[in-house]
Amino acid sequence: MTRYIVRRLLLMIPVLICVTFVVYFLMDLAPGDVISQLAPADATPQQIEMLREEYGLNGTIIERYGRYLWRLLHGDMGTSFFLKRPVFSVFLERLPNTLMLAFASILVAILISLPLGIAAATHHRSWLDGFSVVLSMLSVSMPAFWLGLLLIFIFSLHWKIFPSGGSEGLKYLILPALTLGTEQAGNLTRITRSSMLDVIHQDYLRTARAKGVSEKKVIRHHALRNALIPIITVLGSTLGNAFGGAVAIETVFAWNGIGRLTVMAINNRDMTLATGCIFMFTLMLNMTLLVVDIAYAYVDPRVKARYSK
Amino acid sequence: MEKELILEIKDLVVRFETADGVVHAVNGLDLKIEKGRSIGLVGETGAGKTTTALSMLRLVPDPPGVVECEKLELSGRDVLSMSVSELEEVRGKDISMIFQDPMTALNPVFTVGEQIAESIQIHEKVSSQEAEKRAKEMLELVGIPGERAGEYPHQFSGGMKQRVVIAIALACHPKLLIADEPTTALDVTIQAQVLDLMRRLKEQYETSLIMITHDLGIVAEICDDVAVMYAGKIIEIGTLRDIFNKAKHPYTEGLFNSIPNIHDRKAKLTPIQGLMPDPTNLPEGCAFEPRCPYACEGCKKEQALLQISDTHFVRCSRYLEEGFHIERKEKE
Amino acid sequence: MSEHRKISASELKQYKKRSLLSEVWRNYKKNPSAMIALFIVIAIVVIAIVSQFAFDYKADIVQQNVREKFIHPCAEHPFGTDNYGRDVLVRVLYGARYSLSVGVVAVAISCILGVTLGLIAGYYGGFIEDFILRFCEIFTGIPSILMGVALISAFGQSIIVLMMAIGLVYTPMYCRTTRAAVMPVRDEEYIEAARIAGVSDLKIMFSHVMPNALSPIIVQVTMGVASAILTASSLSFLGLGVPIPLPEWGAMLSEGREFMRDHMYLTIFPGLAIMITVLSFNLMGDGLRDALDPKLKE
């Protein structure tokens, strides 16, 4: 098991390096010279050249990226061009907001989709089942930012219950978490329903019933545990993507998360900040996926046996 | 003195109402089992054996299954009128079932110890340590070292898994054990071991046994009585001796004639012609009539169970005619 | 007695092909929601084509008419008018072409790239497979929307770049699906036989291996159009997709958002348009999956 984890961590390194290269390279391709925007209007060519060196932007792309990577490997993510502050501290500042939104939304998604998906599977072909299918179809087809706008209209403009934007506290979290959670619930309900349906006709559930296990326990204990692997998989990738992929929702609710920070950095040609953010995001996503893979082992002994090999 | 009656079924009817029509799985079945006796329920695939067994546990999936019964009593208690919680109490405690395929009968994510202990904990209010200890004893009893209780089903072979299933079924010493083709999925050598184990345990606990099978060899080995099922009805029932030596029903005869004879390997097998009737569309009268070499006009009417001797009954109206008998192919 | 007739191999092949297609269509027809979705998709395609001729881009789509601004939905303007006095219904109808073309072209790009890579990975295996999979992993490590933003900022904001960006972002998905479908076939004996018979790798890949991956790819393509449309509208909503004043639905939403307090209809209609389109493609994909593999349904 430990060997498996170590191997996975080592495999992450080339992926992370390639991600930084791709982002750095793309940012470099972007038209416009960052330095000429940063420099004062009356700067002499020498001054511009000095600035360029100061920001590590002299030399060819390979040289520049090499320098960036070298520093990154030493734990230095560089300084943001625009905010003039270390990338890592800017990132850390936004991190709590992102984590809060990600976990709150996944909680909303779980609370909606697990009961709904299980009920849909146990009442296959009933109205409840149909309801869950329609609901999850709507939720995966609806642009989340649009749902966010509708919620703002209803709950902040019309009823004035929740603020329409900002990230100052719990009150501000509810609407974005609901929006993002609803978006995620669609997929999660679908996968819960279908994996429960796969399990529900298995012989071992009949064995459990024949032992005298109550129906509630048969479903929650015996069936759910077996249906859990696909559910955890989707849960993991959903959570991982919520760390940086909720850009549109962060924009709608003016929520100061990493996603919005990254888009801002990209739009400002802030190479170090953009690359740093995406690097950190990729790291978080990969860590989440690793945690998911480890969780498999605890859910299913057969997976655990495979890992130890 | 009459022995204690463990199971009594009167006029059991089970049908499955599906979109493609109503499947008549069991059509008026009567069965009585005394304490400690074992009965073999024999018939082709689709004769309604498993459905009969599941309805004793009230585990026929509903929908689409509909169970109707005049009387279904388990040691004097009416199973039909039981509440859900009463049923849960009975299942595993008074009546247990061993399923056909040990590969799929065990939950892959729990240890075998947990799965045995679960049954004990449900029915006997004992601590989890106690249940665990008892689970280990059960494993030892079926011939698996107790320390393997912490292992998962995928770490066991098919025969070992079936032993675990047996351990689960017998964990609370049920009065009635239903074994649904317990050896079909196993290798021949393992089959003998498992059968031997079942016979030993049955005697040890004085458990009554319903052995569902299509293998007459198994019946001969382990059963006191035999009931032959065809299209959801018992067509012949009697002691082992009655059925094996004095089979009366043409279908039973056909079953015996389909067994290869090792003493005369040149002898031609005489399989029963045709197929089981479509259970959504059963013929009136004797369901075997379309395939029966002895069929006559009278067979198209509803058949009653005729008494041949104290223990032997057959559902064939031709025995009302004097001098009617069937040809049994000589085996020796 | 039945009449025996010799059937030539090509005839047989044709017969099989036709019956397979008609079988899929017969299964598909049984699914009412999928049929409705199909009609809606056809309707959207027709709207996208007809709007090209029915409306004049200058006069109907972009020309400002400030005197008629913010007219709420009424008989003359069923969807109302926007802050520049432009008719929202006309703009929404005209906008169908952007969403549709971005969706279709992006999926075509990712499908061609992804299927080729997936075929190569699945067929050759070994080092090449590892390399391609790692490559996919890098791309899936970055959320599609951020990758889209980065690509657009690198190559400039235009509808072509948007198509390419989304196409690139979804390539790994097709690559994985194809590889997964191809993998079990790789070691089949008929592939080996074809190889021994001297059939070229390229021909084996496309005529023997590829058909096995067809059903999952068809389903993924249909649903891929749906997610491409969603991603495109998000990017436009962020102001990075289709440049204004083109009436792309996401961009219209973004514009209408400013006036949400008093003129909610400006955000409702483009959003509904996105949702109906995406929903139809998703339902079609669902229906196709069931039709292609009826066994999967239960």
Side-chain angles (χ1 to χ4, degrees):
Chain A
M1 192 75 191
T2 321
R3 270 187 55 197
Y4 174 80
I5 295 172
V6 170
R7 210 174 62 101
R8 282 283 305 263
L9 286 173
L10 287 178
L11 274 176
M12 243 182 242
I13 294 171
V15 171
L16 283 170
I17 290 175
C18 289
V19 166
T20 58
F21 178 75
V22 169
V23 177
Y24 199 91
F25 187 72
L26 281 178
M27 297 297 301
D28 195 74
L29 271 180
D33 186 6
V34 189
I35 295 301
S36 53
Q37 286 174 46
L38 284 176
D42 55 349
T44 62
Q46 278 110 330
Q47 279 174 316
I48 288 183
E49 207 47 48
M50 269 170 67
L51 261 177
R52 207 179 283 284
E53 247 167 76
E54 196 185 316
Y55 284 101
L57 290 179
N58 51 335
T60 63
I61 167 80
I62 300 296
E63 278 169 14
R64 274 173 281 153
Y65 175 70
R67 272 200 299 271
Y68 175 81
L69 187 64
W70 184 249
R71 283 203 207 131
L72 187 67
L73 291 176
H74 289 76
D76 178 11
M77 294 171 71
T79 309
S80 158
F81 298 160
F82 269 78
L83 303 173
K84 312 252 194 285
R85 289 173 48 206
V87 167
F88 193 60
S89 73
V90 176
F91 174 83
L92 274 189
E93 208 177 86
R94 296 284 187 110
L95 186 63
N97 278 337
T98 290
L99 292 181
M100 235 162 37
L101 180 58
F103 282 104
S105 67
I106 208 93
L107 188 71
V108 171
I110 290 174
L111 287 179
I112 297 174
S113 42
L114 275 196
L116 189 60
I118 293 172
T122 49
H123 299 82
H124 191 34
R125 291 171 195 277
S126 69
W127 65 268
L128 197 73
D129 189 20
F131 176 73
S132 89
V133 171
V134 171
L135 207 70
S136 51
M137 201 37 133
L138 279 180
S139 124
V140 293
S141 303
M142 195 186 294
F145 53 90
W146 185 59
L147 177 66
L149 292 176
L150 295 184
L151 289 183
I152 288 180
F153 181 73
I154 298 169
F155 291 104
S156 23
L157 299 182
H158 193 72
W159 282 336
K160 302 190 169 56
I161 302 174
F162 299 113
S164 65
S167 40
E168 278 78 49
L170 205 62
K171 233 169 113 186
Y172 293 83
L173 177 64
I174 292 172
L175 284 188
L178 266 181
T179 310
L180 192 53
T182 312
E183 188 197 16
Q184 298 161 344
N187 227 339
L188 205 56
T189 308
R190 266 167 89 134
I191 208 79
T192 308
R193 174 180 174 271
S194 68
S195 59
M196 278 301 277
L197 274 179
D198 281 346
V199 170
I200 222 150
H201 295 294
Q202 294 291 331
D203 283 355
Y204 50 77
L205 295 193
R206 201 170 57 175
T207 311
R209 289 192 188 101
K211 285 199 282 202
V213 179
S214 67
E215 190 58 33
K216 208 155 94 185
K217 210 174 160 210
V218 167
I219 298 300
R220 291 194 193 162
H221 192 58
H222 289 259
L224 187 58
R225 181 83 185 267
N226 278 283
L228 221 47
I229 288 223
I231 299 175
I232 301 181
T233 311
V234 172
L235 214 59
S237 62
T238 310
L239 182 68
N241 273 306
F243 290 142
V247 181
I249 289 176
E250 287 181 2
T251 306
V252 167
F253 292 98
W255 184 263
N256 284 323
I258 301 174
R260 217 152 69 99
L261 179 71
T262 315
V263 171
M264 187 201 83
I266 294 174
N267 281 340
N268 287 336
R269 315 266 178 271
D270 194 338
M271 254 165 151
T272 42
L273 186 58
T275 316
C277 280
I278 292 185
F279 169 80
M280 284 311 287
F281 170 78
T282 313
L283 185 67
M284 282 160 73
L285 176 68
N286 274 286
M287 284 308 223
T288 316
L289 296 182
L290 179 60
V291 169
V292 164
D293 280 1
I294 295 170
Y296 287 165
Y298 286 93
V299 171
D300 193 329
R302 287 165 296 184
V303 177
K304 197 172 185 172
R306 218 179 307 139
Y307 285 171
S308 339
K309 260 180 211 161
Chain B
M1 194 194 96
E2 187 141 309
K3 272 209 157 180
E4 187 192 340
L5 213 54
I6 293 294
L7 178 79
E8 188 177 2
I9 303 177
K10 217 176 219 171
D11 200 19
L12 174 71
V13 176
V14 185
R15 56 176 185 272
F16 295 98
E17 292 171 352
T18 67
D20 302 324
V22 181
V23 177
H24 298 274
V26 182
N27 309 300
L29 178 134
D30 302 327
L31 198 64
K32 279 182 194 168
I33 297 167
E34 287 167 359
K35 187 175 168 72
R37 296 239 352 141
S38 55
I39 183 164
L41 209 52
V42 184
E44 283 169 85
T45 311
K49 298 167 294 180
T50 304
T51 309
T52 306
L54 286 177
S55 39
M56 294 174 206
L57 285 146
R58 293 268 309 270
L59 275 178
V60 175
D62 169 26
V66 180
V67 179
E68 283 164 6
C69 194
E70 198 177 297
K71 192 175 187 183
L72 177 51
E73 282 184 358
L74 200 61
S75 31
R77 291 176 70 197
D78 182 15
V79 178
L80 285 173
S81 61
M82 277 185 191
S83 68
V84 174
S85 64
E86 279 175 308
L87 273 173
E88 283 161 7
E89 229 169 83
V90 168
R91 290 178 194 149
K93 170 92 184 119
D94 296 327
I95 178 167
S96 274
M97 188 156 171
I98 297 170
F99 294 99
Q100 183 170 354
D101 188 358
M103 299 315 214
T104 56
L106 292 172
N107 196 326
V109 301
F110 298 118
T111 66
V112 297
E114 282 169 346
Q115 296 188 50
I116 302 170
E118 186 178 25
S119 175
I120 299 170
Q121 260 192 304
I122 290 170
H123 299 294
E124 294 164 30
K125 308 294 166 218
V126 295
S127 69
S128 52
Q129 285 89 355
E130 173 67 18
E132 224 171 276
K133 209 183 103 223
R134 290 266 309 273
K136 279 186 185 166
E137 288 166 13
M138 280 315 293
L139 273 181
E140 301 268 0
L141 197 67
V142 296
I144 298 174
E147 62 265 23
R148 295 197 65 182
E151 291 182 18
Y152 291 92
H154 72 270
Q155 292 162 292
F156 289 82
S157 67
M160 296 285 247
K161 278 187 199 158
Q162 193 62 301
R163 284 161 189 264
V164 174
V165 173
I166 293 172
I168 293 175
L170 292 178
C172 298
H173 314 317
K175 295 175 186 146
L176 175 64
L177 177 65
I178 305 167
D180 186 3
E181 311 212 14
T183 57
T184 309
L186 303 178
D187 289 344
V188 184
T189 46
I190 311 292
Q191 274 188 20
Q193 289 177 12
V194 168
L195 279 180
D196 191 48
L197 173 75
M198 285 183 61
R199 185 170 43 207
R200 242 184 39 233
L201 293 175
K202 176 181 95 68
E203 274 154 25
Q204 191 174 337
Y205 291 123
E206 265 196 282
T207 309
S208 306
L209 174 73
I210 298 178
M211 171 65 80
I212 296 172
T213 181
H214 52 248
D215 185 339
L216 290 163
I218 292 175
V219 173
E221 201 152 322
I222 206 166
C223 298
D224 306 318
D225 301 307
V226 185
V228 183
M229 271 189 90
Y230 189 81
K233 274 185 183 150
I234 288 179
I235 49 110
E236 186 166 8
I237 184 166
T239 61
L240 194 63
R241 202 167 287 273
D242 288 335
I243 303 296
F244 273 65
N245 295 346
K246 292 179 273 184
K248 294 288 182 204
H249 199 280
Y251 176 67
T252 317
E253 172 214 12
L255 280 184
F256 280 106
N257 287 347
S258 323
I259 303 174
N261 184 352
I262 56 164
H263 300 294
D264 182 10
R265 301 221 286 184
K266 287 199 202 83
K268 240 178 113 187
L269 281 182
T270 9
I272 305 171
Q273 296 301 316
L275 293 168
M276 279 264 285
D278 177 6
T280 60
N281 184 22
L282 290 175
E284 269 180 57
C286 178
F288 189 58
E289 182 266 337
R291 299 167 76 183
C292 183
Y294 306 98
C296 67
E297 269 311 300
C299 297
K300 297 216 160 115
K301 283 192 219 112
E302 191 60 42
Q303 306 282 308
L305 206 56
L306 306 175
Q307 185 155 19
I308 308 281
S309 71
D310 281 354
T311 51
H312 195 172
F313 298 83
V314 67
R315 196 184 290 278
C316 179
S317 60
R318 293 219 60 180
Y319 284 97
L320 293 170
E321 302 164 25
E322 210 144 313
F324 176 76
H325 65 97
I326 56 173
E327 300 289 333
R328 177 76 180 273
K329 205 171 68 179
E330 277 309 311
K331 290 274 165 184
E332 263 74 40
Chain C
M1 280 273 97
S2 65
E3 192 186 327
H4 290 284
R5 192 170 70 90
K6 278 202 176 148
I7 302 175
S8 70
S10 66
E11 225 181 324
L12 189 70
K13 209 170 165 186
Q14 210 180 11
Y15 177 72
K16 268 190 181 160
K17 262 188 190 156
R18 205 187 312 134
S19 72
L20 191 73
L21 247 175
S22 66
E23 170 83 13
V24 168
W25 173 236
R26 225 186 46 213
N27 285 333
Y28 188 89
K29 269 197 298 194
K30 281 189 221 150
N31 187 336
S33 58
M35 280 309 276
I36 295 173
L38 179 66
F39 285 125
I40 295 177
V41 167
I42 292 173
I44 294 170
V45 172
V46 170
I47 286 171
I49 295 168
V50 170
S51 66
Q52 171 82 13
F53 308 106
F55 306 119
D56 182 62
Y57 178 72
K58 276 229 171 77
D60 297 321
I61 308 301
V62 288
Q63 195 171 49
Q64 305 182 358
N65 186 359
V66 189
R67 252 176 308 161
E68 288 191 1
K69 71 176 180 180
F70 295 133
I71 299 176
H72 281 229
C74 59
E76 203 187 336
H77 300 285
F79 287 7
T81 62
D82 67 3
N83 52 323
Y84 294 116
R86 301 174 296 199
D87 186 90
V88 177
L89 173 63
V90 172
R91 281 174 65 84
V92 166
L93 292 180
Y94 202 81
R97 55 217 303 259
Y98 299 109
S99 288
L100 215 55
S101 57
V102 170
V104 170
V105 174
V107 165
I109 293 172
S110 46
C111 184
I112 291 170
L113 279 177
V115 168
T116 312
L117 285 175
L119 267 179
I120 294 171
Y123 181 72
Y124 287 109
F127 167 73
I128 298 173
E129 184 177 23
D130 276 348
F131 183 79
I132 291 175
L133 287 185
R134 287 275 161 267
F135 181 77
C136 287
E137 207 167 297
I138 291 159
F139 270 78
T140 37
I142 308 172
S144 46
I145 194 112
L146 290 184
M147 193 69 204
V149 172
L151 283 166
I152 287 163
S153 80
F155 296 106
Q157 186 181 5
S158 79
I159 196 161
I160 304 288
V161 173
L162 182 68
M163 289 167 174
M164 294 206 307
I166 296 175
L168 267 176
V169 161
Y170 285 109
T171 299
M173 231 167 64
Y174 292 86
C175 175
R176 288 207 174 137
T177 311
T178 312
R179 177 188 155 266
V182 162
M183 270 250 291
V185 197
R186 178 165 63 197
D187 301 318
E188 287 287 336
E189 275 171 27
Y190 64 86
I191 303 287
E192 192 62 26
R195 213 175 288 160
I196 291 165
V199 182
S200 74
D201 279 1
L202 208 65
K203 184 137 195 273
I204 294 178
M205 266 193 255
F206 279 97
S207 58
H208 294 282
V209 179
M210 172 78 177
N212 291 285
L214 219 49
S215 334
I217 291 171
I218 289 173
V219 173
Q220 192 151 56
V221 160
T222 329
M223 301 219 173
V225 173
S227 35
I229 291 175
L230 264 186
T231 310
S233 69
S234 308
L235 283 169
S236 301
F237 178 74
L238 293 173
L240 292 163
V242 179
I244 41 174
L246 296 184
E248 203 272 347
W249 295 333
M252 287 173 73
L253 259 174
S254 170
E255 281 178 82
R257 188 185 157 208
E258 290 173 45
F259 313 105
M260 205 164 66
R261 184 178 297 272
D262 302 312
H263 313 291
M264 189 58 195
Y265 62 92
L266 286 179
T267 40
I268 286 189
F269 293 114
L272 269 180
I274 298 172
M275 196 176 90
I276 291 171
T277 312
V278 173
L279 187 65
S280 304
F281 276 103
N282 273 333
L283 284 174
M284 245 174 78
D286 252 15
L288 268 175
R289 176 171 46 210
D290 292 346
L292 283 168
D293 196 349
K295 276 172 295 176
L296 276 181
K297 207 171 175 181
E298 219 25 55

